[in-house]
Amino acid sequence: MTYPSDETLRDLLTSTRRFACVGASANPARPSHYVSQYLIAQGYRVVPVNPGLAGQEVFGAPAVASLAQIEGPIDVLDVFRRSEAVPGLVREALRDLPGLRCVWLQLGVISDEAVEMCHDAGVLFVQDRCTKIEHARLIGTSA
């Protein structure tokens, strides 16, 4: 399992501005929805990625079908998908998101293959942790 230090996570979360939320949902009961809403309330920009919602507005931004359709830089790939989908997503992210700083897999999402890919690419990797929980724990919350 990959668990960066609190200092590393704090540094990432205080210097990051833009997330891509893979598995974004318009359903307020889904974790990807309320975590993204929390991140937006903390001042981050969130790009929703979900082929079923492409073109629709989610979290106040147009959803895209794939990482290749994102315009501009992404700091953190925040993944709300099953573990078996992760290696393909990480390959796509490393190819299509220049400047990507971190791949973050949400609670229960784990991929040894993705750990290696990110390590080889020099990209920070976090798995089985929630961005909302870690932000609130390390930085605090205003929402």
Side-chain angles (χ1 to χ4, degrees):
M1 300 240 172
T2 301
Y3 298 110
S5 70
D6 284 355
E7 181 180 344
T8 298
L9 292 178
R10 189 177 295 109
D11 288 346
L12 173 75
L13 293 169
T14 56
S15 63
T16 293
R17 296 288 32 116
R18 200 159 181 237
F19 285 74
C21 176
V22 178
S25 175
N27 179 348
R30 302 287 301 176
S32 63
H33 187 89
Y34 58 78
V35 169
S36 293
Q37 291 291 74
Y38 172 88
L39 292 172
I40 291 165
Q42 301 312 308
Y44 299 102
R45 291 191 58 211
V46 176
V47 177
V49 182
N50 182 325
L53 298 174
Q56 298 177 44
E57 191 169 297
V58 183
F59 323 132
V64 297
S66 70
L67 298 177
Q69 294 178 329
I70 295 174
E71 295 180 12
I74 291 293
D75 298 309
V76 178
L77 179 71
D78 199 1
V79 180
F80 291 85
R81 295 282 314 278
R82 291 184 179 164
S83 297
E84 53 269 15
V86 170
L89 285 169
V90 170
R91 273 190 287 282
E92 184 181 346
L94 294 175
R95 180 190 68 222
D96 295 335
L97 301 175
L100 181 67
R101 296 178 53 206
C102 177
V103 171
W104 192 307
L105 309 183
Q106 286 292 321
L107 290 170
V109 185
I110 297 169
S111 174
D112 292 337
E113 187 178 349
V115 170
E116 292 303 318
M117 286 188 275
C118 288
H119 176 75
D120 292 348
V123 172
L124 182 66
F125 186 83
V126 180
Q127 65 182 349
D128 195 27
R129 283 191 167 185
C130 175
T131 47
K132 179 182 184 294
I133 292 169
E134 294 304 312
H135 183 278
R137 181 176 73 86
L138 295 169
I139 298 171
T141 178
S142 64

